[in-house]
């Protein structure tokens, strides 16, 4: 499943917390995320934030665009940029939850790892009845990792 991560992807959407730890107005425009000089995305990435800033072009084809908009507005921008390819919703949990709440997700792949890394953020809050909108399948691995896929019914 990991080998197909980038197949058919023309753009990505992520929340600001996935981009980096800064909160509020940007204090350091020279710091460009946790991803290093050549992020793994190789596509345009739309970072949802209430504090837009100029786009940042990185090595390898990744350009981060910082946008303030509703899930529908950001998805529209990402689709226009994706050139007919799919748009990946990369996370984090609050961003995924917002898109699920607006019924904007066709396919979802959640990886459940049997390690507790802290408190984290809850993905499913407020999404009661979501199982009625999707066909759900699971694949378990010997390591205990479980892949759960949701495909629009």
């Amino acid at each position: 499943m990991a080998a197909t991560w980038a197949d058919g992807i023309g753009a990505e959407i992520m929340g600001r917390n996935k981009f980096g730890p800064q909160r509020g107005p940007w204090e350091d425009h020279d710091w460009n995320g946790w991803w290093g000089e050549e992020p793994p995305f190789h596509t345009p990435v739309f970072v949802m934030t209430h504090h837009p800033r100029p786009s940042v072009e990185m090595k390898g084809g990744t350009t981060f665009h910082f946008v303030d908009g509703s899930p529908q507005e950001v998805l529209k921008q990402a689709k226009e940029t994706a050139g007919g390819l799919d748009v990946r919703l990369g996370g984090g949990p609050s961003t995924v939850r917002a898109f699920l709440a607006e019924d904007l997700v066709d396919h979802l792949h959640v990886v459940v790892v049997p390690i507790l890394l802290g408190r984290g953020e809850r993905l499913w809050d407020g999404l009661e009845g979501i199982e009625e909108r999707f066909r759900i399948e699971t694949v378990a691995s010997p390591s205990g990792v479980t892949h759960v896929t949701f495909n629009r019914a």
Side-chain angles (χ1 to χ4, degrees), residues 116-122:
L116 185 59
L117 297 175
R119 293 184 186 158
E121 193 171 333
R122 296 167 59 110

Side-chain angles (χ1 to χ4, degrees), residues 14-145:
M14 69 173 60
R16 181 166 173 185
N17 293 349
K18 184 176 176 181
F19 177 77
Q22 296 182 24
R23 302 295 176 262
W26 296 95
E27 296 177 14
D28 183 1
H29 283 252
D30 293 328
W31 192 80
N32 293 318
W34 342 79
W35 309 104
E37 292 182 18
E38 188 171 342
F41 309 105
H42 309 292
T43 65
V45 177
F46 294 83
V47 180
M48 294 181 70
T49 176
H50 296 296
H51 301 278
R53 64 181 257 194
S55 296
V56 176
E57 193 170 329
M58 307 291 285
K59 291 181 185 174
T62 299
T63 300
F64 291 106
H65 303 283
F66 303 89
V67 294
D68 183 10
S70 69
Q72 294 89 341
E73 293 165 339
V74 176
L75 180 58
K76 181 180 179 192
Q77 289 178 34
K79 281 183 172 182
E80 289 170 357
T81 305
L85 298 174
D86 288 335
V87 174
R88 178 178 38 238
L89 181 57
S94 63
T95 300
V96 173
R97 192 171 48 252
F99 279 78
L100 285 168
E102 295 296 327
D103 201 24
L104 299 173
V105 177
D106 293 326
H107 174 82
L108 177 67
H109 176 201
V110 176
V111 180
V112 181
V113 180
I115 298 173
L116 185 59
L117 297 175
R119 293 184 186 158
E121 193 171 333
R122 296 167 59 110
L123 177 60
W124 306 114
D125 283 354
L127 296 174
E128 292 77 11
I130 191 172
E131 67 279 359
E132 297 169 9
R133 298 186 336 223
F134 293 92
R135 290 184 313 279
I136 304 169
E137 298 179 19
T138 61
V139 176
S141 69
S143 67
V145 172

